[in-house]
Amino acid sequence: AQSVTQLDSQVPVFEEAPVELRCNYSSSVSVYLFWYVQYPNQGLQLLLKYLSGSTLVKGINGFEAEFNKSQTSFHLRKPSVHISDTAEYFCAVIPFSGGYNKLIFGAGTRLAVHP
Amino acid sequence: DVKVTQSSRYLVKRTGEKVFLECVQDMDHENMFWYRQDPGLGLRLIYFSYDVKMKEKGDIPEGYSVSREKKERFSLILESASTNQTSMYLCASRDRETQYFGPGTRLLVL
């Protein structure tokens, strides 16, 4: 069965430091990959997505992610975080399994940026 | 920009009440979804709809029903609310492979 694992439930970091949020997935078929961000008491906002082509994907707010097929990973990175990046981040995949392609979410990583 | 709106940001209901959560999208998307989000459990799919009057059960449909009478509107119904349905409810609509989410409704059932 397909699944998504976000390896860290919480990541504390100081402002202006780099951050990496890790995501691994398991799937026997090809996948689309997504990162969403959720600010407190809000819905999910699409940060970036990988569908095909270049494995390095750039998104909004200075975030980027790299698709590594051999390691089945899609880690999210930002070189210098701001206080405003404090939020919960969700990795998600769509496996191509025919019929309805379900979006499968990880459990989320809470990023806390400290001054 | 895709816009998905939900009728309420916060709701407080009593056990046994019938509850309607409304979701509207303005992009003519065929596919719409209802999720609930609980701490430690992530997002779980309740129901989805791939066309007007068409619906499919998701992973946790028990205690819920849905209605899709118009393409832009997808309603989630709690026939008889229970305390274990206290949660954050998120609606989404899909354009090809990408889902776009509304702001969420935080429901408290007393």
Side-chain angles (χ1 to χ4, degrees), chain A residues 45-81:
Chain A
Q45 180 181 2
L46 181 67
L47 264 182
L48 49 79
K49 60 185 176 184
Y50 172 79
L51 306 180
S52 65
S54 173
T55 57
L56 183 63
V57 180
K58 293 192 184 296
I60 61 171
N61 301 341
F63 284 93
E64 63 181 32
E66 186 153 22
F67 171 49
N68 187 319
K69 188 173 181 180
S70 63
Q71 298 192 5
T72 61
S73 68
F74 191 54
H75 300 334
L76 181 71
R77 301 185 182 98
K78 186 170 182 177
S80 175
V81 295

PDB file of all heavy atoms in Angstrom, chain A residues 45-81:
ATOM      1  N   GLN A  45      -2.375  25.462   1.719  1.00  0.00           N
ATOM      2  CA  GLN A  45      -1.963  26.234   0.555  1.00  0.00           C
ATOM      3  C   GLN A  45      -0.872  25.459  -0.174  1.00  0.00           C
ATOM      4  O   GLN A  45       0.067  24.967   0.460  1.00  0.00           O
ATOM      5  CB  GLN A  45      -1.442  27.594   1.002  1.00  0.00           C
ATOM      6  CG  GLN A  45      -0.977  28.502  -0.129  1.00  0.00           C
ATOM      7  CD  GLN A  45      -0.443  29.836   0.378  1.00  0.00           C
ATOM      8  OE1 GLN A  45      -0.388  30.086   1.580  1.00  0.00           O
ATOM      9  NE2 GLN A  45      -0.047  30.697  -0.529  1.00  0.00           N
ATOM     10  N   LEU A  46      -0.991  25.350  -1.487  1.00  0.00           N
ATOM     11  CA  LEU A  46       0.013  24.626  -2.263  1.00  0.00           C
ATOM     12  C   LEU A  46       1.324  25.406  -2.283  1.00  0.00           C
ATOM     13  O   LEU A  46       1.364  26.574  -2.665  1.00  0.00           O
ATOM     14  CB  LEU A  46      -0.494  24.417  -3.683  1.00  0.00           C
ATOM     15  CG  LEU A  46       0.430  23.647  -4.623  1.00  0.00           C
ATOM     16  CD1 LEU A  46       0.561  22.191  -4.173  1.00  0.00           C
ATOM     17  CD2 LEU A  46      -0.087  23.713  -6.054  1.00  0.00           C
ATOM     18  N   LEU A  47       2.403  24.742  -1.853  1.00  0.00           N
ATOM     19  CA  LEU A  47       3.739  25.339  -1.891  1.00  0.00           C
ATOM     20  C   LEU A  47       4.437  25.040  -3.219  1.00  0.00           C
ATOM     21  O   LEU A  47       5.008  25.921  -3.845  1.00  0.00           O
ATOM     22  CB  LEU A  47       4.607  24.746  -0.783  1.00  0.00           C
ATOM     23  CG  LEU A  47       4.761  25.460   0.545  1.00  0.00           C
ATOM     24  CD1 LEU A  47       5.715  24.685   1.428  1.00  0.00           C
ATOM     25  CD2 LEU A  47       5.249  26.884   0.364  1.00  0.00           C
ATOM     26  N   LEU A  48       4.418  23.791  -3.594  1.00  0.00           N
ATOM     27  CA  LEU A  48       5.063  23.363  -4.837  1.00  0.00           C
ATOM     28  C   LEU A  48       4.611  21.949  -5.173  1.00  0.00           C
ATOM     29  O   LEU A  48       4.023  21.262  -4.332  1.00  0.00           O
ATOM     30  CB  LEU A  48       6.593  23.426  -4.731  1.00  0.00           C
ATOM     31  CG  LEU A  48       7.261  22.795  -3.526  1.00  0.00           C
ATOM     32  CD1 LEU A  48       7.388  21.285  -3.638  1.00  0.00           C
ATOM     33  CD2 LEU A  48       8.660  23.399  -3.302  1.00  0.00           C
ATOM     34  N   LYS A  49       4.916  21.539  -6.408  1.00  0.00           N
ATOM     35  CA  LYS A  49       4.558  20.202  -6.842  1.00  0.00           C
ATOM     36  C   LYS A  49       5.563  19.700  -7.869  1.00  0.00           C
ATOM     37  O   LYS A  49       6.173  20.481  -8.606  1.00  0.00           O
ATOM     38  CB  LYS A  49       3.145  20.171  -7.442  1.00  0.00           C
ATOM     39  CG  LYS A  49       2.964  21.075  -8.660  1.00  0.00           C
ATOM     40  CD  LYS A  49       1.508  21.082  -9.120  1.00  0.00           C
ATOM     41  CE  LYS A  49       1.318  22.063 -10.273  1.00  0.00           C
ATOM     42  NZ  LYS A  49      -0.115  22.161 -10.698  1.00  0.00           N
ATOM     43  N   TYR A  50       5.728  18.366  -7.890  1.00  0.00           N
ATOM     44  CA  TYR A  50       6.523  17.713  -8.909  1.00  0.00           C
ATOM     45  C   TYR A  50       5.597  16.807  -9.715  1.00  0.00           C
ATOM     46  O   TYR A  50       4.947  15.914  -9.158  1.00  0.00           O
ATOM     47  CB  TYR A  50       7.647  16.874  -8.302  1.00  0.00           C
ATOM     48  CG  TYR A  50       8.343  16.041  -9.341  1.00  0.00           C
ATOM     49  CD1 TYR A  50       9.288  16.613 -10.190  1.00  0.00           C
ATOM     50  CD2 TYR A  50       8.023  14.697  -9.525  1.00  0.00           C
ATOM     51  CE1 TYR A  50       9.888  15.861 -11.177  1.00  0.00           C
ATOM     52  CE2 TYR A  50       8.613  13.946 -10.507  1.00  0.00           C
ATOM     53  CZ  TYR A  50       9.553  14.531 -11.338  1.00  0.00           C
ATOM     54  OH  TYR A  50      10.135  13.788 -12.331  1.00  0.00           O
ATOM     55  N   LEU A  51       5.568  17.060 -11.020  1.00  0.00           N
ATOM     56  CA  LEU A  51       4.773  16.213 -11.910  1.00  0.00           C
ATOM     57  C   LEU A  51       5.686  15.414 -12.835  1.00  0.00           C
ATOM     58  O   LEU A  51       5.477  14.218 -13.064  1.00  0.00           O
ATOM     59  CB  LEU A  51       3.799  17.056 -12.727  1.00  0.00           C
ATOM     60  CG  LEU A  51       2.872  17.975 -11.922  1.00  0.00           C
ATOM     61  CD1 LEU A  51       1.951  18.750 -12.856  1.00  0.00           C
ATOM     62  CD2 LEU A  51       2.052  17.183 -10.915  1.00  0.00           C
ATOM     63  N   SER A  52       6.685  16.091 -13.417  1.00  0.00           N
ATOM     64  CA  SER A  52       7.650  15.455 -14.310  1.00  0.00           C
ATOM     65  C   SER A  52       8.759  16.465 -14.570  1.00  0.00           C
ATOM     66  O   SER A  52       8.700  17.603 -14.116  1.00  0.00           O
ATOM     67  CB  SER A  52       6.980  15.023 -15.613  1.00  0.00           C
ATOM     68  OG  SER A  52       6.530  16.155 -16.325  1.00  0.00           O
ATOM     69  N   GLY A  53       9.783  16.018 -15.325  1.00  0.00           N
ATOM     70  CA  GLY A  53      10.838  16.937 -15.722  1.00  0.00           C
ATOM     71  C   GLY A  53      11.906  17.100 -14.667  1.00  0.00           C
ATOM     72  O   GLY A  53      12.266  16.139 -13.982  1.00  0.00           O
ATOM     73  N   SER A  54      12.409  18.320 -14.507  1.00  0.00           N
ATOM     74  CA  SER A  54      13.493  18.582 -13.569  1.00  0.00           C
ATOM     75  C   SER A  54      13.123  18.131 -12.165  1.00  0.00           C
ATOM     76  O   SER A  54      12.027  18.412 -11.670  1.00  0.00           O
ATOM     77  CB  SER A  54      13.818  20.077 -13.551  1.00  0.00           C
ATOM     78  OG  SER A  54      14.749  20.363 -12.525  1.00  0.00           O
ATOM     79  N   THR A  55      14.075  17.473 -11.522  1.00  0.00           N
ATOM     80  CA  THR A  55      13.783  16.936 -10.187  1.00  0.00           C
ATOM     81  C   THR A  55      13.854  18.000  -9.105  1.00  0.00           C
ATOM     82  O   THR A  55      13.429  17.763  -7.984  1.00  0.00           O
ATOM     83  CB  THR A  55      14.748  15.794  -9.847  1.00  0.00           C
ATOM     84  OG1 THR A  55      16.092  16.274  -9.950  1.00  0.00           O
ATOM     85  CG2 THR A  55      14.551  14.613 -10.794  1.00  0.00           C
ATOM     86  N   LEU A  56      14.407  19.158  -9.413  1.00  0.00           N
ATOM     87  CA  LEU A  56      14.448  20.265  -8.461  1.00  0.00           C
ATOM     88  C   LEU A  56      13.290  21.208  -8.783  1.00  0.00           C
ATOM     89  O   LEU A  56      13.221  21.770  -9.867  1.00  0.00           O
ATOM     90  CB  LEU A  56      15.782  21.005  -8.543  1.00  0.00           C
ATOM     91  CG  LEU A  56      15.961  22.147  -7.542  1.00  0.00           C
ATOM     92  CD1 LEU A  56      15.938  21.623  -6.105  1.00  0.00           C
ATOM     93  CD2 LEU A  56      17.250  22.901  -7.814  1.00  0.00           C
ATOM     94  N   VAL A  57      12.414  21.360  -7.818  1.00  0.00           N
ATOM     95  CA  VAL A  57      11.207  22.139  -8.035  1.00  0.00           C
ATOM     96  C   VAL A  57      11.236  23.355  -7.120  1.00  0.00           C
ATOM     97  O   VAL A  57      11.495  23.229  -5.920  1.00  0.00           O
ATOM     98  CB  VAL A  57       9.955  21.294  -7.708  1.00  0.00           C
ATOM     99  CG1 VAL A  57       8.701  22.108  -7.938  1.00  0.00           C
ATOM    100  CG2 VAL A  57       9.937  20.028  -8.542  1.00  0.00           C
ATOM    101  N   LYS A  58      10.951  24.504  -7.688  1.00  0.00           N
ATOM    102  CA  LYS A  58      10.896  25.725  -6.870  1.00  0.00           C
ATOM    103  C   LYS A  58       9.440  26.108  -6.640  1.00  0.00           C
ATOM    104  O   LYS A  58       8.602  25.993  -7.534  1.00  0.00           O
ATOM    105  CB  LYS A  58      11.652  26.843  -7.571  1.00  0.00           C
ATOM    106  CG  LYS A  58      13.156  26.576  -7.648  1.00  0.00           C
ATOM    107  CD  LYS A  58      13.942  27.787  -8.076  1.00  0.00           C
ATOM    108  CE  LYS A  58      15.429  27.441  -8.237  1.00  0.00           C
ATOM    109  NZ  LYS A  58      16.042  27.032  -6.952  1.00  0.00           N
ATOM    110  N   GLY A  59       9.170  26.581  -5.429  1.00  0.00           N
ATOM    111  CA  GLY A  59       7.812  26.944  -5.087  1.00  0.00           C
ATOM    112  C   GLY A  59       7.716  28.374  -4.587  1.00  0.00           C
ATOM    113  O   GLY A  59       8.598  29.184  -4.803  1.00  0.00           O
ATOM    114  N   ILE A  60       6.619  28.642  -3.888  1.00  0.00           N
ATOM    115  CA  ILE A  60       6.409  29.992  -3.376  1.00  0.00           C
ATOM    116  C   ILE A  60       7.195  30.203  -2.084  1.00  0.00           C
ATOM    117  O   ILE A  60       7.650  29.236  -1.458  1.00  0.00           O
ATOM    118  CB  ILE A  60       4.917  30.264  -3.134  1.00  0.00           C
ATOM    119  CG1 ILE A  60       4.355  29.294  -2.083  1.00  0.00           C
ATOM    120  CG2 ILE A  60       4.137  30.164  -4.437  1.00  0.00           C
ATOM    121  CD1 ILE A  60       2.950  29.633  -1.633  1.00  0.00           C
ATOM    122  N   ASN A  61       7.361  31.450  -1.707  1.00  0.00           N
ATOM    123  CA  ASN A  61       7.987  31.831  -0.438  1.00  0.00           C
ATOM    124  C   ASN A  61       9.424  31.343  -0.290  1.00  0.00           C
ATOM    125  O   ASN A  61       9.906  31.176   0.834  1.00  0.00           O
ATOM    126  CB  ASN A  61       7.163  31.319   0.760  1.00  0.00           C
ATOM    127  CG  ASN A  61       5.750  31.864   0.752  1.00  0.00           C
ATOM    128  OD1 ASN A  61       5.451  32.861   0.109  1.00  0.00           O
ATOM    129  ND2 ASN A  61       4.859  31.198   1.455  1.00  0.00           N
ATOM    130  N   GLY A  62      10.124  31.121  -1.413  1.00  0.00           N
ATOM    131  CA  GLY A  62      11.528  30.734  -1.371  1.00  0.00           C
ATOM    132  C   GLY A  62      11.798  29.266  -1.086  1.00  0.00           C
ATOM    133  O   GLY A  62      12.941  28.864  -0.896  1.00  0.00           O
ATOM    134  N   PHE A  63      10.780  28.447  -1.037  1.00  0.00           N
ATOM    135  CA  PHE A  63      10.956  27.013  -0.802  1.00  0.00           C
ATOM    136  C   PHE A  63      11.280  26.275  -2.097  1.00  0.00           C
ATOM    137  O   PHE A  63      10.884  26.696  -3.181  1.00  0.00           O
ATOM    138  CB  PHE A  63       9.687  26.406  -0.187  1.00  0.00           C
ATOM    139  CG  PHE A  63       9.513  26.719   1.270  1.00  0.00           C
ATOM    140  CD1 PHE A  63       8.764  27.815   1.671  1.00  0.00           C
ATOM    141  CD2 PHE A  63      10.082  25.914   2.235  1.00  0.00           C
ATOM    142  CE1 PHE A  63       8.605  28.115   3.014  1.00  0.00           C
ATOM    143  CE2 PHE A  63       9.928  26.189   3.584  1.00  0.00           C
ATOM    144  CZ  PHE A  63       9.189  27.297   3.969  1.00  0.00           C
ATOM    145  N   GLU A  64      11.996  25.173  -1.958  1.00  0.00           N
ATOM    146  CA  GLU A  64      12.265  24.281  -3.067  1.00  0.00           C
ATOM    147  C   GLU A  64      12.298  22.849  -2.544  1.00  0.00           C
ATOM    148  O   GLU A  64      12.450  22.618  -1.342  1.00  0.00           O
ATOM    149  CB  GLU A  64      13.590  24.608  -3.763  1.00  0.00           C
ATOM    150  CG  GLU A  64      14.815  24.439  -2.905  1.00  0.00           C
ATOM    151  CD  GLU A  64      16.084  24.797  -3.651  1.00  0.00           C
ATOM    152  OE1 GLU A  64      16.058  25.698  -4.526  1.00  0.00           O
ATOM    153  OE2 GLU A  64      17.118  24.183  -3.346  1.00  0.00           O
ATOM    154  N   ALA A  65      12.125  21.901  -3.457  1.00  0.00           N
ATOM    155  CA  ALA A  65      12.152  20.490  -3.078  1.00  0.00           C
ATOM    156  C   ALA A  65      12.810  19.707  -4.198  1.00  0.00           C
ATOM    157  O   ALA A  65      12.749  20.090  -5.367  1.00  0.00           O
ATOM    158  CB  ALA A  65      10.740  19.968  -2.823  1.00  0.00           C
ATOM    159  N   GLU A  66      13.419  18.602  -3.812  1.00  0.00           N
ATOM    160  CA  GLU A  66      14.083  17.753  -4.791  1.00  0.00           C
ATOM    161  C   GLU A  66      13.519  16.352  -4.754  1.00  0.00           C
ATOM    162  O   GLU A  66      13.454  15.712  -3.699  1.00  0.00           O
ATOM    163  CB  GLU A  66      15.584  17.702  -4.542  1.00  0.00           C
ATOM    164  CG  GLU A  66      16.338  16.947  -5.631  1.00  0.00           C
ATOM    165  CD  GLU A  66      17.764  17.400  -5.777  1.00  0.00           C
ATOM    166  OE1 GLU A  66      18.304  17.980  -4.811  1.00  0.00           O
ATOM    167  OE2 GLU A  66      18.344  17.182  -6.847  1.00  0.00           O
ATOM    168  N   PHE A  67      13.111  15.882  -5.910  1.00  0.00           N
ATOM    169  CA  PHE A  67      12.589  14.530  -6.062  1.00  0.00           C
ATOM    170  C   PHE A  67      13.753  13.583  -6.280  1.00  0.00           C
ATOM    171  O   PHE A  67      14.558  13.772  -7.198  1.00  0.00           O
ATOM    172  CB  PHE A  67      11.627  14.482  -7.250  1.00  0.00           C
ATOM    173  CG  PHE A  67      11.190  13.087  -7.648  1.00  0.00           C
ATOM    174  CD1 PHE A  67      10.723  12.190  -6.700  1.00  0.00           C
ATOM    175  CD2 PHE A  67      11.235  12.691  -8.973  1.00  0.00           C
ATOM    176  CE1 PHE A  67      10.305  10.919  -7.065  1.00  0.00           C
ATOM    177  CE2 PHE A  67      10.817  11.420  -9.354  1.00  0.00           C
ATOM    178  CZ  PHE A  67      10.362  10.535  -8.397  1.00  0.00           C
ATOM    179  N   ASN A  68      13.854  12.575  -5.426  1.00  0.00           N
ATOM    180  CA  ASN A  68      14.888  11.559  -5.568  1.00  0.00           C
ATOM    181  C   ASN A  68      14.193  10.209  -5.708  1.00  0.00           C
ATOM    182  O   ASN A  68      13.713   9.629  -4.726  1.00  0.00           O
ATOM    183  CB  ASN A  68      15.817  11.565  -4.348  1.00  0.00           C
ATOM    184  CG  ASN A  68      17.012  10.645  -4.534  1.00  0.00           C
ATOM    185  OD1 ASN A  68      16.880   9.538  -5.050  1.00  0.00           O
ATOM    186  ND2 ASN A  68      18.174  11.099  -4.105  1.00  0.00           N
ATOM    187  N   LYS A  69      14.138   9.737  -6.953  1.00  0.00           N
ATOM    188  CA  LYS A  69      13.366   8.515  -7.216  1.00  0.00           C
ATOM    189  C   LYS A  69      13.996   7.288  -6.553  1.00  0.00           C
ATOM    190  O   LYS A  69      13.300   6.435  -6.015  1.00  0.00           O
ATOM    191  CB  LYS A  69      13.260   8.293  -8.729  1.00  0.00           C
ATOM    192  CG  LYS A  69      12.322   7.174  -9.118  1.00  0.00           C
ATOM    193  CD  LYS A  69      12.136   7.108 -10.621  1.00  0.00           C
ATOM    194  CE  LYS A  69      11.161   5.998 -10.980  1.00  0.00           C
ATOM    195  NZ  LYS A  69      10.958   5.913 -12.448  1.00  0.00           N
ATOM    196  N   SER A  70      15.320   7.207  -6.571  1.00  0.00           N
ATOM    197  CA  SER A  70      15.981   6.022  -6.017  1.00  0.00           C
ATOM    198  C   SER A  70      15.783   5.930  -4.511  1.00  0.00           C
ATOM    199  O   SER A  70      15.695   4.838  -3.949  1.00  0.00           O
ATOM    200  CB  SER A  70      17.469   6.029  -6.362  1.00  0.00           C
ATOM    201  OG  SER A  70      18.102   7.151  -5.777  1.00  0.00           O
ATOM    202  N   GLN A  71      15.698   7.070  -3.847  1.00  0.00           N
ATOM    203  CA  GLN A  71      15.485   7.079  -2.400  1.00  0.00           C
ATOM    204  C   GLN A  71      14.027   7.325  -2.031  1.00  0.00           C
ATOM    205  O   GLN A  71      13.712   7.420  -0.845  1.00  0.00           O
ATOM    206  CB  GLN A  71      16.379   8.144  -1.753  1.00  0.00           C
ATOM    207  CG  GLN A  71      17.865   7.870  -1.963  1.00  0.00           C
ATOM    208  CD  GLN A  71      18.751   8.747  -1.103  1.00  0.00           C
ATOM    209  OE1 GLN A  71      18.277   9.503  -0.270  1.00  0.00           O
ATOM    210  NE2 GLN A  71      20.059   8.645  -1.315  1.00  0.00           N
ATOM    211  N   THR A  72      13.195   7.412  -3.024  1.00  0.00           N
ATOM    212  CA  THR A  72      11.754   7.710  -2.828  1.00  0.00           C
ATOM    213  C   THR A  72      11.560   8.824  -1.817  1.00  0.00           C
ATOM    214  O   THR A  72      10.825   8.688  -0.826  1.00  0.00           O
ATOM    215  CB  THR A  72      10.955   6.453  -2.429  1.00  0.00           C
ATOM    216  OG1 THR A  72      11.444   5.931  -1.198  1.00  0.00           O
ATOM    217  CG2 THR A  72      11.031   5.401  -3.519  1.00  0.00           C
ATOM    218  N   SER A  73      12.235   9.945  -2.078  1.00  0.00           N
ATOM    219  CA  SER A  73      12.149  11.075  -1.160  1.00  0.00           C
ATOM    220  C   SER A  73      11.780  12.347  -1.915  1.00  0.00           C
ATOM    221  O   SER A  73      11.984  12.456  -3.133  1.00  0.00           O
ATOM    222  CB  SER A  73      13.474  11.281  -0.425  1.00  0.00           C
ATOM    223  OG  SER A  73      14.486  11.705  -1.313  1.00  0.00           O
ATOM    224  N   PHE A  74      11.260  13.296  -1.150  1.00  0.00           N
ATOM    225  CA  PHE A  74      10.873  14.603  -1.711  1.00  0.00           C
ATOM    226  C   PHE A  74      11.028  15.609  -0.581  1.00  0.00           C
ATOM    227  O   PHE A  74      10.061  16.121  -0.039  1.00  0.00           O
ATOM    228  CB  PHE A  74       9.448  14.537  -2.245  1.00  0.00           C
ATOM    229  CG  PHE A  74       9.033  15.730  -3.082  1.00  0.00           C
ATOM    230  CD1 PHE A  74       9.784  16.145  -4.170  1.00  0.00           C
ATOM    231  CD2 PHE A  74       7.852  16.406  -2.807  1.00  0.00           C
ATOM    232  CE1 PHE A  74       9.387  17.228  -4.949  1.00  0.00           C
ATOM    233  CE2 PHE A  74       7.446  17.488  -3.581  1.00  0.00           C
ATOM    234  CZ  PHE A  74       8.215  17.896  -4.649  1.00  0.00           C
ATOM    235  N   HIS A  75      12.260  15.910  -0.231  1.00  0.00           N
ATOM    236  CA  HIS A  75      12.545  16.785   0.902  1.00  0.00           C
ATOM    237  C   HIS A  75      12.366  18.249   0.530  1.00  0.00           C
ATOM    238  O   HIS A  75      12.755  18.677  -0.566  1.00  0.00           O
ATOM    239  CB  HIS A  75      13.960  16.554   1.414  1.00  0.00           C
ATOM    240  CG  HIS A  75      14.232  15.151   1.875  1.00  0.00           C
ATOM    241  ND1 HIS A  75      13.234  14.314   2.339  1.00  0.00           N
ATOM    242  CD2 HIS A  75      15.380  14.444   1.941  1.00  0.00           C
ATOM    243  CE1 HIS A  75      13.754  13.142   2.671  1.00  0.00           C
ATOM    244  NE2 HIS A  75      15.060  13.191   2.439  1.00  0.00           N
ATOM    245  N   LEU A  76      11.847  19.005   1.467  1.00  0.00           N
ATOM    246  CA  LEU A  76      11.578  20.438   1.277  1.00  0.00           C
ATOM    247  C   LEU A  76      12.688  21.237   1.954  1.00  0.00           C
ATOM    248  O   LEU A  76      13.062  20.924   3.093  1.00  0.00           O
ATOM    249  CB  LEU A  76      10.223  20.784   1.893  1.00  0.00           C
ATOM    250  CG  LEU A  76       9.752  22.232   1.777  1.00  0.00           C
ATOM    251  CD1 LEU A  76       9.362  22.559   0.335  1.00  0.00           C
ATOM    252  CD2 LEU A  76       8.551  22.466   2.697  1.00  0.00           C
ATOM    253  N   ARG A  77      13.161  22.293   1.277  1.00  0.00           N
ATOM    254  CA  ARG A  77      14.274  23.071   1.821  1.00  0.00           C
ATOM    255  C   ARG A  77      14.006  24.563   1.651  1.00  0.00           C
ATOM    256  O   ARG A  77      13.298  24.997   0.739  1.00  0.00           O
ATOM    257  CB  ARG A  77      15.582  22.726   1.108  1.00  0.00           C
ATOM    258  CG  ARG A  77      15.992  21.288   1.188  1.00  0.00           C
ATOM    259  CD  ARG A  77      17.362  21.070   0.565  1.00  0.00           C
ATOM    260  NE  ARG A  77      17.717  19.657   0.602  1.00  0.00           N
ATOM    261  CZ  ARG A  77      17.567  18.817  -0.430  1.00  0.00           C
ATOM    262  NH1 ARG A  77      17.111  19.267  -1.579  1.00  0.00           N
ATOM    263  NH2 ARG A  77      17.901  17.550  -0.312  1.00  0.00           N
ATOM    264  N   LYS A  78      14.611  25.316   2.583  1.00  0.00           N
ATOM    265  CA  LYS A  78      14.645  26.766   2.424  1.00  0.00           C
ATOM    266  C   LYS A  78      15.974  27.236   3.004  1.00  0.00           C
ATOM    267  O   LYS A  78      16.323  26.848   4.118  1.00  0.00           O
ATOM    268  CB  LYS A  78      13.469  27.436   3.129  1.00  0.00           C
ATOM    269  CG  LYS A  78      13.390  28.936   2.864  1.00  0.00           C
ATOM    270  CD  LYS A  78      12.101  29.546   3.350  1.00  0.00           C
ATOM    271  CE  LYS A  78      12.073  31.029   3.011  1.00  0.00           C
ATOM    272  NZ  LYS A  78      10.805  31.691   3.396  1.00  0.00           N
ATOM    273  N   PRO A  79      16.710  28.059   2.273  1.00  0.00           N
ATOM    274  CA  PRO A  79      18.052  28.441   2.732  1.00  0.00           C
ATOM    275  C   PRO A  79      18.059  29.383   3.929  1.00  0.00           C
ATOM    276  O   PRO A  79      19.046  29.407   4.678  1.00  0.00           O
ATOM    277  CB  PRO A  79      18.673  29.107   1.500  1.00  0.00           C
ATOM    278  CG  PRO A  79      17.541  29.481   0.617  1.00  0.00           C
ATOM    279  CD  PRO A  79      16.427  28.545   0.912  1.00  0.00           C
ATOM    280  N   SER A  80      16.992  30.153   4.127  1.00  0.00           N
ATOM    281  CA  SER A  80      16.961  31.116   5.221  1.00  0.00           C
ATOM    282  C   SER A  80      15.499  31.361   5.608  1.00  0.00           C
ATOM    283  O   SER A  80      14.747  31.938   4.829  1.00  0.00           O
ATOM    284  CB  SER A  80      17.627  32.434   4.782  1.00  0.00           C
ATOM    285  OG  SER A  80      17.506  33.413   5.784  1.00  0.00           O
ATOM    286  N   VAL A  81      15.108  30.886   6.782  1.00  0.00           N
ATOM    287  CA  VAL A  81      13.690  30.965   7.159  1.00  0.00           C
ATOM    288  C   VAL A  81      13.376  32.270   7.880  1.00  0.00           C
ATOM    289  O   VAL A  81      14.252  32.921   8.460  1.00  0.00           O
ATOM    290  CB  VAL A  81      13.269  29.762   8.037  1.00  0.00           C
ATOM    291  CG1 VAL A  81      13.356  28.475   7.239  1.00  0.00           C
ATOM    292  CG2 VAL A  81      14.097  29.689   9.302  1.00  0.00           C
TER     293      VAL A  81
END
